[in-house]
Amino acid sequence: MTVRVGVITFPGTLDDRDTQRAVRVAGLEAVPLWHRDKDLKQVDAVVLPGGFSYGDYLRAGAISRFSPVMESVIEQAKAGMPVLGICNGFQVLTETHLLPGAMLRNNHLHFICRDQKLRVENAETAWTRSYEQGQEINIPLKNIDGRYVADERVLDELEAEGRVVFRYRDVNPNGSLRDIAGITNEAGNVVGLMPHPEHAVEPLIGTGRTDGLGFFTSILKKLVDA
């Protein structure tokens, strides 16, 4: 079975090529998708990669939310298609309301680039099945608008429903509330996180480890099992 994963490119996207490579390393077929096209080319899953779409003008991810391709992504995500948003992709997912909350400027007001330890809080989503709950992984992090915020009601719901997928460990690099690094929707098919798993799939790049590969092997397991 060939699993096809679409990787969207917006103006200002930086990590689409890296994400396509990560998809291929995991044994999947990477399908480039252009932001102006509504056609998802019959992919089985979609990744919104990192970068600074539209230069982050107005607000990070706010303009990309209205790209034609997002109409199809929103429709398919609501129908159950697995969607992963990485960094700027996470910001886009909050702007579309596929995920709750918002991303604000880091509390120290500086761009940050570092290897970041995360704890896996939910290993049951479409994108985390290759991990174990409580497992700690190291993933590169690079952002300036990475502070996850939501009102207390939403935060309590996320906690109660097990929808916090990743939490920062050792240090909270951007002031995200409750150390949240990634969340999922109620169905578990849409996941957003700030760190970059596509930069940790081969031992010679990124952290020098392959802790990020599990995101992409997880979707393979999910779709093959289905």
Side-chain angles (χ1 to χ4, degrees):
M1 176 182 177
T2 300
V3 176
R4 292 163 50 85
V5 178
V7 179
I8 299 175
T9 299
F10 300 98
T13 295
L14 300 179
D15 297 306
D16 45 349
R17 298 289 184 89
D18 302 74
T19 303
Q20 290 173 28
R21 179 168 179 80
V23 167
R24 291 193 295 269
V25 169
L28 309 161
E29 180 182 349
V31 180
L33 299 175
W34 184 236
H35 71 111
R36 291 193 178 201
D37 298 331
K38 291 185 178 182
D39 182 10
L40 296 183
K41 300 181 181 179
Q42 298 182 317
V43 297
D44 302 295
V46 168
V47 180
L48 283 66
F52 299 90
S53 62
Y54 291 94
D56 279 350
Y57 294 125
L58 181 62
R59 190 173 58 247
I63 300 176
S64 291
R65 178 259 180 274
F66 295 101
S67 292
V69 72
M70 289 308 300
E71 295 181 28
S72 300
V73 171
I74 293 169
E75 178 183 356
Q76 291 302 311
K78 290 180 177 180
M81 173 182 281
V83 176
L84 175 66
I86 302 170
C87 196
N88 190 234
F90 186 9
Q91 295 160 346
V92 175
L93 291 178
T94 61
E95 291 290 337
T96 62
H97 303 298
L98 285 173
L99 293 176
M103 311 303 302
L104 300 182
R105 185 63 50 99
N106 296 344
N107 61 345
H108 45 71
L109 304 181
H110 295 289
F111 180 84
I112 188 170
C113 183
R114 55 169 289 149
D115 292 343
Q116 178 65 49
K117 183 181 288 187
L118 306 176
R119 183 175 64 215
V120 180
E121 302 283 22
N122 183 339
E124 300 298 325
T125 78
W127 298 94
T128 56
R129 293 186 173 202
S130 290
Y131 299 107
E132 296 180 2
Q133 185 172 348
Q135 181 179 349
E136 293 189 349
I137 60 178
N138 283 280
I139 302 291
L141 174 75
K142 48 178 186 174
N143 64 68
I144 192 169
D145 295 298
R147 178 161 57 108
Y148 180 76
V149 299
D151 62 39
E152 287 298 310
R153 177 186 59 80
V154 170
L155 292 171
D156 289 343
E157 287 180 358
L158 292 173
E159 300 277 13
E161 296 171 6
R163 291 169 54 195
V164 176
V165 182
F166 297 98
R167 246 184 261 273
Y168 295 115
R169 295 287 290 163
D170 294 346
V171 62
N172 183 326
N174 46 35
S176 290
L177 297 182
R178 303 194 189 183
D179 298 329
I180 291 174
I183 61 174
T184 186
N185 64 343
E186 293 181 10
N189 63 303
V190 179
V191 169
L193 79 160
M194 287 309 298
H196 288 259
E198 76 279 11
H199 295 323
V201 298
E202 296 177 289
L204 294 179
I205 60 172
T207 60
R209 303 171 58 163
T210 59
D211 290 5
L213 188 60
F215 284 83
F216 306 100
T217 58
S218 290
I219 204 61
L220 178 62
K221 291 180 180 180
K222 161 71 174 176
L223 294 172
V224 169
D225 289 348

